[in-house]
Amino acid sequence: MVSFEPSEEQRLIRDTVAEFARERVRPQARASDETGEIPSELIQQGWELGLTQALIPEAYGGAGEAHSAVTSVLAIEELAWADLSIACHLLAPRLLVVPVVEAGTEEQKDAILPRYAQANFAAATAAVVEPRWDFDLAELSVTATLENGSYVLQGTKCFVPLASVAEHLAVFARLQGSDEVGVFLVDRSTPGVSILEREKNMGLKGLATYEVAFERCRLPAERRLGGPSGCDVNRLLNLQRVALAAAAVGVARASFEYARDYAKERKAFGVYIAQKQAIAFMLAEMAIEIDAARLLTWEAAWKLDRGEDATREAVLAKQYAANMALMVADRGVQILGGHGYIRDHLVELFLRNARGFATFEGLLTA
Ligand SMILES: Cc1cc2nc3c(=O)[nH]c(=O)nc-3n(C[C@H](O)[C@H](O)[C@H](O)COP(=O)(O)OP(=O)(O)OC[C@H]3O[C@@H](n4cnc5c(N)ncnc54)[C@H](O)[C@@H]3O)c2cc1C
């Protein structure tokens, strides 16, 4: 049977993250959206929660806890509830660390992981999405060509968080001459890597994302994640899908709670608007949809933790959660009426952030 009861440890992690999210992250959400900056002290405080270091085996300086997608989605929902930009910034190093912990060779773990087990925040990232109207994860246009024992990366990625400060990038590329996708561990300083201008996005304005160009970027063959025969890239993508689904649930829950509380205080024609069926029915549907998306997300994460192929569940969870978040965040704005459209209230920020879930890949990993 399936149990929805979090373990004692999961409950502790969720509650600790939720408190940090509520007390520290949420109060910064509007300012980061306006300025495009996140205070480094806040990131450092978030880093000290240990969400990245915990996954790193003790042999490489971490806490050596078993990686669990279920535990991750519990934490991601809380952080995304508080603010999606800050959540993505804080968790970006996991985009590199989780793949290396899961699939890295001993040499790759030794070369990469100790840097991310340290006391101070160290930025890392993944490069997945490409700036093409026909972007398809199954047909990447960034290629890796094997030449004289090295891989040569060629092509352009976009929506790469923290690329300008990341020490390492996990780059998803198609192996030249095949349909196979490999993940390559790239030092940002490698010749041929260019970090282009910061992107101007509709939402996620606090998160610095970039286009990154690879121009005959040559890497030692040992930088292919998992060694010469690669790794289970589909599993890594499923961990990303599940993380995005959890984040979408968090953003939607934020909008729902904001609108619900507003509706219980706002009077129109002498009655609280929450007492009007037009509003009450909207709130009820929002709550149902959030719970449905969360259950899909948990199921996919649970299957990933069992080591099973969770592609179907992860795709369904991500797709459903992306649509749900947009619907819920839109209704959050509607429930506030004219006040939802102005920046005095966070519901417009939640809506702009929710809009991206249909587009993002590689911003978070479970
Ligand atoms: C800063 C600001 C400036 C504005 N400037 C102008 C302006 O210059 N000109 C202009 O024409 N308008 C302006 N507006 C818009 C407008 O005046 C008000 O927003 C609007 O009249 C108030 O109604 P509402 O539906 O927006 O909000 P509310 O009345 O608070 O309604 C909130 C929600 O409750 C629902 N609701 C309300 N009553 C009922 C009911 N009886 N039954 C069921 N559902 C209900 C609404 O549909 C909405 O979804 C402005 C609004 C703002 C916030």
Side-chain angles (χ1 to χ4, degrees):
M1 284 297 290
V2 176
S3 166
F4 295 104
E5 186 70 20
S7 68
E8 197 54 43
E9 187 195 353
Q10 287 170 334
R11 199 193 314 270
L12 181 68
I13 291 171
R14 185 192 60 196
D15 293 351
T16 306
V17 172
E19 185 184 351
F20 174 76
R22 191 174 58 246
E23 304 295 331
R24 308 307 312 262
V25 177
R26 175 60 72 79
Q28 178 61 31
R30 173 58 75 192
S32 287
D33 185 70
E34 297 285 348
T35 63
E37 304 289 334
I38 300 169
S40 52
E41 315 84 73
L42 179 61
I43 295 301
Q44 180 57 29
Q45 287 164 355
W47 182 250
E48 287 164 12
L49 294 172
L51 295 172
T52 300
Q53 308 91 306
L55 310 177
I56 297 176
E58 287 177 11
Y60 307 103
E65 286 171 20
H67 173 222
S68 160
V70 170
T71 307
S72 297
V73 300
L74 295 175
I76 289 168
E77 178 182 332
E78 298 304 328
L79 286 171
W81 170 90
D83 185 62
L84 188 60
S85 293
I86 298 171
C88 290
H89 186 124
L90 184 56
L91 298 176
R94 290 172 54 113
L95 290 166
L96 177 87
V97 167
V98 169
V100 173
V101 167
E102 283 245 339
T105 63
E106 286 310 313
E107 293 72 27
Q108 288 166 348
K109 289 178 179 171
D110 206 37
I112 302 266
L113 295 181
R115 179 70 190 94
Y116 301 95
Q118 294 181 11
N120 291 328
F121 178 80
T125 192
V128 182
V129 185
E130 299 175 350
R132 295 159 40 196
W133 64 270
D134 59 346
F135 170 69
D136 181 349
L137 272 170
E139 292 182 30
L140 295 175
S141 68
V142 170
T143 53
T145 307
L146 199 51
E147 282 182 15
N148 304 322
S150 310
Y151 280 104
V152 177
L153 295 183
Q154 183 72 35
T156 304
K157 295 287 188 180
C158 63
F159 293 131
V160 184
L162 310 194
S164 68
V165 290
E167 296 180 28
H168 300 97
L169 301 85
V171 180
F172 288 64
R174 184 170 51 82
L175 295 168
Q176 186 65 281
S178 85
D179 292 337
E180 200 184 341
V181 173
V183 179
F184 296 87
L185 307 171
V186 181
D187 293 2
R188 180 170 49 89
S189 57
T190 310
V193 178
S194 301
I195 313 299
L196 307 180
E197 274 188 30
R198 180 170 171 169
E199 292 163 336
K200 297 185 176 77
N201 299 321
M202 169 186 178
L204 274 178
K205 287 180 169 295
L207 180 70
T209 69
Y210 299 84
E211 273 199 8
V212 179
F214 300 93
E215 180 63 37
R216 288 203 54 78
C217 170
R218 187 175 287 276
L219 303 170
E222 303 76 60
R223 283 304 182 111
R224 181 177 179 191
L225 184 66
S229 47
C231 63
D232 185 353
V233 175
N234 209 28
R235 177 173 168 82
L236 301 180
L237 293 172
N238 288 336
L239 287 166
Q240 292 184 2
R241 292 179 178 121
V242 168
L244 284 171
V249 170
V251 172
R253 199 185 99 212
S255 186
F256 164 74
E257 290 178 2
Y258 199 108
R260 177 200 60 198
D261 295 348
Y262 183 90
K264 290 203 272 190
E265 284 179 2
R266 171 76 172 169
K267 278 187 171 174
F269 307 105
V271 183
Y272 293 110
I273 59 170
Q275 292 172 287
K276 298 287 180 190
Q277 283 193 336
I279 299 294
F281 285 173
M282 271 200 275
L283 285 168
E285 196 182 347
M286 290 157 79
I288 291 166
E289 291 295 310
I290 291 167
D291 273 24
R294 185 187 290 112
L295 289 174
L296 285 173
T297 305
W298 283 2
E299 184 191 5
W302 168 80
K303 227 175 159 185
L304 283 164
D305 279 354
R306 288 162 59 93
E308 296 174 20
D309 178 19
T311 302
R312 181 177 181 279
E313 289 76 9
V315 169
L316 292 188
K318 198 244 158 180
Q319 185 67 20
Y320 193 91
N323 292 338
M324 176 281 296
L326 188 54
M327 183 280 283
V328 168
D330 183 56
R331 295 210 170 159
V333 171
Q334 179 59 41
I335 288 171
L336 268 73
H339 294 271
Y341 195 67
I342 57 175
R343 287 186 178 234
D344 290 3
H345 295 277
L346 286 173
V347 286
E348 64 81 29
L349 187 160
F350 300 145
L351 178 57
R352 285 185 285 109
N353 284 347
R355 184 61 188 86
F357 285 109
T359 307
F360 307 143
E361 300 282 347
L363 283 181
L364 288 165
T365 197

